[in-house]
Amino acid sequence: MTPYIRQTKCLIFFVLLLAGMTTNAGSERSLSLEYQNSGTEDPLAGIQFRGVDGKKIDLGDLRGKVVFLNFWASWCLPCLAEFPAIKKLYQHYKDDPEVVFIFVDADGDLEKAVRFMQKRKYMLPAFRSETAVPDVLFKGALPTTVVLDKRGRISYNQSGAANYGDPRFIAFIKDLKAAK
């Protein structure tokens, strides 16, 4: 296959991906975490991420908050395609203490992730996984986005790019915040 044909196929795939980006933010579905953990009552407890500042975030400590958890990589074209929309969502809720954003660099290279964010002016909080992440949250496909409600239940789980800047998704986060 010639380089021109390969580039054309990649371009067609990328255009089709962008054209097909959707969300299922209106879904009423809520899944519970169903896996074995270390005997603790909270299945989220112990799932930890480390930020650029060196601080750890434990998902079990985020009860009472809506959590937007995104697994990405700088080399992942669908990840790059969804970042402008993610930035829009982040800008909308970044100062809201009831919403937490965790952008997990799948490569675990925080310095590279920060350079990537700065170069593109995304300025999203980059993290790396400090512990194993259960398959119910991340099966390895990039990008993957999971939204946890205030009770720690999975309210949204999407593998593949989506438009998180869509007003329906912004309203979905608002609805999760309002729920008890």
Side-chain angles (χ1 to χ4, degrees):
M1 180 181 314
T2 68
Y4 176 76
I5 292 173
R6 191 174 312 121
Q7 287 176 339
T8 303
K9 284 184 175 184
C10 286
L11 181 60
I12 290 170
F13 170 77
F14 189 65
V15 168
L16 290 173
L17 174 71
L18 286 175
M21 287 196 304
T22 61
T23 69
N24 61 354
S27 171
E28 296 293 323
R29 186 172 45 120
S30 179
L31 306 174
S32 62
L33 290 171
E34 298 173 7
Y35 64 93
Q36 297 296 320
N37 61 5
S38 59
T40 167
E41 287 183 27
D42 185 351
L44 296 174
I47 302 172
Q48 298 180 346
F49 303 95
R50 183 177 303 275
V52 178
D53 58 4
K55 292 182 182 174
K56 283 187 183 179
I57 289 182
D58 189 306
L59 288 184
D61 295 338
L62 298 178
R63 295 279 182 179
K65 298 179 186 294
V66 174
V67 178
F68 183 93
L69 179 62
N70 179 267
F71 296 89
W72 67 282
S74 61
W75 47 263
C76 165
L77 290 180
C79 300
L80 303 180
E82 73 177 3
F83 262 131
I86 287 177
K87 180 180 177 182
K88 182 177 178 181
L89 177 71
Y90 179 73
Q91 291 297 324
H92 192 86
Y93 286 110
K94 72 177 183 174
D95 295 323
D96 189 326
E98 293 182 339
V99 180
V100 175
F101 288 87
I102 303 173
F103 297 96
V104 183
D105 176 40
D107 293 329
D109 187 343
L110 286 181
E111 291 175 8
K112 181 180 172 185
V114 168
R115 283 193 309 271
F116 172 84
M117 295 285 191
Q118 289 173 340
K119 183 178 178 181
R120 286 161 182 79
K121 297 184 171 58
Y122 289 133
M123 306 313 294
L124 305 170
F127 290 83
R128 78 169 170 245
S129 179
E130 287 290 297
T131 59
V133 177
D135 286 349
V136 71
L137 292 178
F138 180 58
K139 291 183 172 97
L142 294 175
T144 292
T145 299
V146 176
V147 177
L148 303 172
D149 70 8
K150 292 162 80 173
R151 294 173 54 194
R153 297 176 302 181
I154 297 172
S155 296
Y156 180 88
N157 190 333
Q158 166 87 21
S159 292
N163 181 4
Y164 298 109
D166 186 284
R168 293 174 295 170
F169 197 85
I170 292 171
F172 170 67
I173 298 295
K174 181 180 178 183
D175 291 344
L176 289 177
K177 281 182 44 184
K180 296 290 179 193

